[in-house]
Each structure stands twice: as C-alpha cells, then as structure tokens.
C-alpha cells in the first residue's frame, strides 16, 4: 500500500514510493493524437452528468508551450470539453521514461468483405507485410485467409495518418472490430471464434505521437496503445471542482489535499500485479 503522494512526499526520504502525478490543466491546453469516438463521447457526457465524478483520469504527456498530448483518454477529454468544463484532470507522465511504452493495436474483423482492395494495394506474403510496416515502406497491411496485401506509405507523417484513416473509414461501423495485439490470424480465430481479416498498422514512435498532436488530422481511435506503469484509477474527483471558476492553483491545492487525506486514511493502494478486467 502506498503511503505518500507527490504533494506530500518528504524529499529527505528518497526511497519513499511516489504516487502518480495528477494535475488540473486548462481544457484549451489539451491536444489529442487520435480521434474520439462520437458514440462513446455522447454516452460519456450522459454518464458524467449522472455520476458527477471523473473516475479514471486520462493519461497525458507534456509538450512545449504549456500544452499536453493525451496518450489515453481521448473520449473522456472530449466529453468534458463538450460539456463545457474549463479544466481537465490528467495523470501526467514522463513520456520518455521507459515505464511508458508505446505499442500498436491491430484490428480483427469478423467480415472480410468490408476490407478495402484494389487501387494501390500490393499482394505480398504476410512476413513481407510486417517487414514493410517495420521499415516504413507500408502504411497499412491486411491479412486474410486468402493472402495478404500492403498499402505503400506516403513519405510524410500527415500522409501516413491520412492513409491509415482512409483504410479504417472503409470498414468502421460496418462490422465488429476487435482491438488485438498483432498475432497470427489462425490463433486469433480460435480465441474470438471468427476471424475474417486482420488489419495491421505501423508501430509509431513517441515523436510521431507528439507531432500528430499538432496536426489537423489525427489517428483513428484504437491504433496507438500506451502501456503506463502505476496507472491512476478510481480517483473519483468531484466534477464540481473542474467546473468551478476558482483559480487553477486553488483547484490543484484542493486536489493535492484530497490525495493527502486519502493517503492518511490508508485508502490509496498500489498493486504491482498485472490486472485483468472483465467489465471494462
């Protein structure tokens, strides 16, 4: 169980465990690197209004000029902004820390018929598709039981994101999409019961994520995957704190005091074990 917080940690005891860094920041300073899901945002707006609390803060990294890129939580940030909240609660992480890993999801689809074909797509062996995604030659790949194909990549980041967005737009909303780690199609079919096709994407860099935050075009939802150690969950901050017109520094002070109180009451716990959620 953790016994200190960033707001109250004693600098003379460097071995004391630190809690996740929680910050209240202006909504105008928060940037996205991926699109939000309009349906999930609409549901979140209603849930937040009914509950009155933000349970799990989005994860963000600092950019230049006092801005932040959301690594995980685009829907929550968008829902709060749409509801008119002037400030956001984020978990701030050191993006270049090795404890923040950037991985990539693949999209497993039930229906192969909705996948794009023709045009610039090249028929390739599956291993050549994965190699092309790794070396940057391909912007996207498709693997089916009938074979594999890859889409050549534009030279610039905005062009690659646009190509990925066009591919995802071709099947989004037309079939069930499962976010999965890249794996052989046969193994995924055994796990999910049916596997019509697998859409695979290039592994982006953290620099790409930072740069995308400032582009007008964003990644589709469900491609970048950030793995953050010591993730802050069930913070349950009263949304009245974010909505109030008190100065930002006063809001932060109230948040820090709340965390100190919870630590003193032994209500803050750190679990080193990996976790499997069955109702997320």
């Amino acid at each position: 169980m953790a016994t200190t917080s960033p707001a109250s940690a004693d600098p003379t005891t460097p071995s004391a465990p630190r809690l996740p860094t929680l910050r209240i920041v202006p909504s105008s300073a928060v940037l996205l690197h991926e699109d939000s899901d309009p349906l999930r945002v609409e549901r979140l707006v209603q849930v937040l209004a009914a509950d009155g609390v933000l349970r799990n803060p989005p994860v963000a990294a600092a950019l230049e000029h006092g801005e932040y890129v959301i690594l995980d939580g685009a829907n929550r940030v968008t829902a709060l902004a749409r509801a008119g909240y002037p400030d956001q609660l984020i978990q701030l992480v050191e993006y270049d820390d090795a404890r923040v890993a950037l991985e990539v999801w693949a999209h497993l689809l039930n229906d192969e018929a909705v996948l794009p074909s023709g045009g610039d797509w090249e028929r390739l062996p599956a291993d050549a598709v994965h190699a092309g995604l790794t070396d940057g030659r391909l912007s996207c790949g498709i693997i089916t039981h009938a074979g594999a194909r890859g889409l050549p990549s534009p030279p610039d980041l905005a062009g690659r994101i646009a190509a990925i967005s066009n591919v995802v737009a071709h099947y989004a909303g037309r079939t069930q999409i499962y976010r999965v780690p890249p794996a052989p199609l046969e193994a995924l079919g055994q796990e999910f019961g049916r596997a019509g096709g697998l859409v695979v994407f290039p592994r982006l860099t953290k620099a790409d994520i930072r740069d995308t935050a400032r582009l007008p075009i964003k990644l589709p939802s469900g491609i970048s995957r950030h793995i953050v150690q010591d993730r802050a969950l069930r913070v349950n901050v009263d949304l009245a704190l974010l909505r109030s017109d008190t100065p930002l520094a006063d809001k932060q002070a109230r948040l820090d005091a709340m965390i100190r109180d919870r630590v003193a009451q032994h209500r803050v716990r750190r679990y080193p074990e990996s976790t499997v959620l069955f109702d997320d």
Side-chain angles (χ1 to χ4, degrees):
M1 179 174 67
T3 57
T4 63
S5 75
S8 60
D10 184 349
T12 65
T13 57
S15 61
R18 293 185 63 84
L19 295 184
T21 301
L22 300 176
R23 292 287 181 266
I24 298 178
V25 301
S27 292
S28 59
V30 172
L31 306 178
L32 302 181
H33 80 275
E34 63 178 352
D35 289 326
S36 58
D37 182 330
L39 293 178
R40 294 184 66 184
V41 167
E42 184 59 34
R43 287 196 296 268
L44 272 173
V45 169
Q46 298 174 15
V47 168
L48 291 170
D51 291 352
V53 296
L54 178 64
R55 303 187 187 283
N56 304 322
V59 178
L63 298 171
E64 296 177 347
H65 313 301
E67 293 179 313
Y68 306 87
V69 54
I70 297 299
L71 308 181
D72 182 77
N75 292 323
R76 279 163 282 169
V77 166
T78 304
L80 286 173
R82 181 170 299 178
Y85 285 85
D87 298 315
Q88 302 269 351
L89 171 66
I90 60 171
Q91 177 182 349
L92 185 61
V93 299
E94 293 290 340
Y95 200 20
D96 293 324
D97 193 310
R99 293 176 298 175
V100 180
L102 174 57
E103 303 288 344
V104 65
W105 290 114
H107 289 177
L108 178 65
L109 310 183
N110 284 338
D111 187 1
E112 179 183 350
V114 302
L115 290 168
S117 61
D120 295 330
W121 289 91
E122 301 176 4
R123 292 209 167 268
L124 299 166
D127 58 352
V129 168
H130 290 295
L133 293 172
T134 299
D135 64 22
R137 192 179 70 83
L138 299 179
S139 61
C140 194
I142 292 174
I143 299 172
T144 70
H145 296 288
R149 53 189 183 269
L151 185 66
S153 178
D156 60 302
L157 178 61
R160 292 196 298 272
I161 294 175
I164 292 170
S165 296
N166 289 336
V167 171
V168 174
H170 195 88
Y171 58 80
R174 300 176 62 196
T175 187
Q176 179 70 50
I177 301 173
Y178 300 98
R179 300 179 189 179
V180 298
L185 191 60
E186 293 75 13
L188 292 170
Q190 293 177 3
E191 181 176 355
F192 289 89
R194 183 177 179 183
L198 185 69
V199 185
V200 287
F201 306 100
R203 186 183 298 272
L204 299 172
T205 67
K206 292 180 178 180
D208 290 335
I209 298 297
R210 289 188 177 103
D211 291 343
T212 303
R214 301 194 183 281
L215 291 176
I217 189 170
K218 308 298 179 184
L219 281 169
S221 176
I223 292 178
S224 62
R225 179 191 184 197
H226 285 92
I227 301 173
V228 178
Q229 294 187 26
D230 291 331
R231 182 68 181 270
L233 300 174
R234 291 166 58 180
V235 179
N236 295 339
V237 167
D238 190 332
L239 287 175
L241 177 64
L242 300 182
R243 188 180 287 281
S244 71
D245 57 2
T246 57
L248 200 63
D250 292 346
K251 293 183 180 182
Q252 185 68 48
R254 288 175 59 187
L255 173 66
D256 292 342
M258 180 195 76
I259 298 299
R260 285 195 297 269
D261 288 345
R262 292 188 186 177
V263 169
Q265 297 168 21
H266 303 286
R267 295 174 56 195
V268 179
R269 297 181 182 273
R270 175 186 282 109
Y271 292 97
E273 307 94 335
S274 59
T275 303
V276 178
L277 300 179
F278 286 86
D279 65 347
D280 190 23

